[in-house]
Amino acid sequence: MVARQVHLVRHGEVFNPERVLYGRVPGFRLSDLGAQMAEAAAADLVERGRPVARIISSPLQRAQESAAPIAAAFTLLVDIDPRIIEPTNFFEGKRMRGTGGALRDPRSWHALINPLRPSWGEPFDSIAKRMLAAIEDARNSVDEGDVVLVSHQLPIWMVHRALARQRLPHDPRKRRCDLSSITTLSWPGGFPDETGYSNPALSLQVGASDVGAV
């Protein structure tokens, strides 16, 4: 037996007053609003009546904090899988735009020469492969029920594009992966397919000051 569904949950809003691209930089926690978003995602899964059997998080703090209310709701522990972490990025810890922004600094321009790979960090195909491998392992790790993976915008969006057989290079402004959103995968016919997307924290996002790095 295997999991019936796998739910990919993006973390909630991050406390980021300096508006930097946080990437894998440690210490970036959820804002108070982000914690409410995480609670909304947990409530959404509970309301579905899904039999969640396992919860797996990225090792980053914001993901683990977003997994906590889901774990509490289903009385489960949170496991860690480093394969569902945020990708590496040359611009980590830097402000991207505005006065002193990295995009205006000639020393950064070498990292922008190939957006198709991309040249600023982990290749898109590498992100997709590690995510899909983690998802398949998660699916096979339980005898029944669902598995929840709490991850990040770009890794989840790479799964979406890979399963939709779309080119992995894309315009980051057009990602459909909101804060604390839930992307659901099923296996009709034995092959993974995206069968649902919900945005339980939509009403909270109006007040969000940080929606993630693009």
Side-chain angles (χ1 to χ4, degrees):
M1 296 290 290
V2 293
R4 300 177 193 174
Q5 294 184 337
V6 172
H7 307 280
L8 307 179
V9 179
R10 186 186 172 195
H11 62 77
E13 184 196 43
V14 174
F15 180 70
N16 183 18
E18 300 301 319
R19 304 303 301 274
V20 301
L21 193 155
Y22 32 76
R24 295 186 180 184
V25 178
F28 279 89
R29 60 175 177 83
L30 293 182
S31 65
D32 291 343
L33 185 62
Q36 295 177 47
M37 292 178 178
E39 292 283 357
D44 182 273
L45 290 168
V46 170
E47 289 169 5
R48 298 182 192 193
R50 299 302 308 176
V52 174
R54 189 179 181 199
I55 300 167
I56 305 172
S57 173
S58 156
L60 294 176
Q61 181 177 348
R62 59 188 181 272
Q64 293 191 56
E65 290 177 349
S66 296
I70 304 173
F74 291 96
T75 320
L76 293 169
L77 298 176
V78 177
D79 297 317
I80 303 298
D81 189 336
R83 292 177 295 179
I84 63 174
I85 196 171
E86 189 84 89
T88 55
N89 195 306
F90 171 82
F91 295 102
E92 281 181 358
K94 299 179 174 68
R95 292 183 62 202
M96 297 299 291
R97 296 178 174 83
T99 303
L103 294 180
R104 296 185 179 184
D105 187 345
R107 293 172 296 181
S108 300
W109 292 350
H110 71 279
L112 301 169
I113 58 175
N114 184 4
L116 300 181
R117 183 182 186 269
S119 52
W120 55 79
E122 182 181 2
F124 291 132
D125 61 348
S126 171
I127 302 168
K129 286 176 182 177
R130 64 175 168 85
M131 284 293 293
L132 291 170
I135 289 166
E136 192 62 32
D137 287 349
R139 177 181 179 242
N140 289 304
S141 71
V142 299
D143 292 330
E144 59 182 0
D146 294 4
V147 179
V148 175
L149 274 64
V150 183
S151 185
H152 309 270
Q153 185 189 64
L154 180 52
I156 294 172
W157 192 237
M158 288 295 92
V159 172
H160 166 84
R161 294 185 72 86
L163 295 183
R165 294 176 173 79
Q166 297 173 346
R167 294 176 68 250
L168 298 183
H170 62 284
D171 183 343
R173 297 169 297 181
K174 297 181 179 179
R175 294 174 189 160
R176 184 226 56 194
C177 186
D178 294 296
L179 294 165
S180 291
S181 61
I182 304 173
T183 300
T184 296
L185 309 182
S186 301
W187 277 256
F191 297 99
D193 189 24
E194 183 180 312
T195 53
Y197 175 81
S198 67
N199 190 6
L202 177 61
S203 63
L204 298 170
Q205 289 162 10
V206 176
S209 60
D210 188 272
V211 296
V214 296

